[in-house]
Amino acid sequence: MGGETLAFVEAFPRFLLWTAAAGAMLAIASTIYVLLTPWKEVALIREGNSAAAVAFAGVLIGLAIPLAISLSVSTSIRDIVIWGVATVVLQLFVFRLVDMLLTGLPQRIREGEVSAAVLLVGAKLATALILGAALAG
């Protein structure tokens, strides 16, 4: 086998493990977020509420950004889990804080007002980018 093939064979299991760890943290964090929000995004999305879909897409991306950066700067699975959990906890805290500070948004999103969802997404993505940059050092 060539050098590239050996490198792939050696690195691929680690790639799968790290990806699975980040995916699991994203799934868990998304679930926790859904349980913490004053509106029920999944039910609203199933009813065709575009504002809820936009808001939830922002949450997923906002949670994924710091996790992705955690993957890129980590040197071990332990590193990924430690930094991944730290960024997810901070992100969930800030998401909740933003939800509380931007009063009236939950009702506006329930009513399908997409502009309210876009504002919420902007605040959450800005937070994700700042946390990601802090993680990258």
Side-chain angles (χ1 to χ4, degrees):
M1 277 198 252
E4 294 85 10
T5 305
L6 286 175
F8 173 79
V9 168
E10 182 181 310
F12 190 66
R14 184 179 66 223
F15 163 78
L16 291 176
L17 178 63
W18 289 20
T19 302
M25 285 188 281
L26 180 61
I28 292 166
S30 301
T31 302
I32 292 169
Y33 180 82
V34 166
L35 296 172
L36 292 177
T37 56
W39 63 91
K40 302 300 172 207
E41 279 104 340
V42 176
L44 292 171
I45 292 167
R46 286 185 180 140
E47 294 169 4
N49 186 318
S50 297
V54 168
F56 193 60
V59 167
L60 293 174
I61 296 167
L63 288 168
I65 289 170
L67 285 172
I69 294 170
S70 171
L71 282 171
S72 72
V73 300
S74 294
T75 58
S76 69
I77 189 68
R78 183 176 177 199
D79 225 11
I80 290 168
V81 171
I82 290 169
W83 286 109
V85 168
T87 59
V88 163
V89 167
L90 283 172
Q91 191 71 318
L92 289 171
F93 172 73
V94 172
F95 281 5
R96 190 66 187 123
L97 186 62
V98 167
D99 288 343
M100 290 175 6
L101 290 175
L102 299 175
T103 56
L105 282 181
Q107 183 59 34
R108 292 168 61 191
I109 290 171
R110 268 194 293 277
E111 293 170 359
E113 190 177 322
V114 175
S115 61
V118 170
L119 175 62
L120 190 59
V121 168
K124 291 178 180 187
L125 291 181
T127 301
L129 291 170
I130 291 168
L131 284 174
L135 180 62

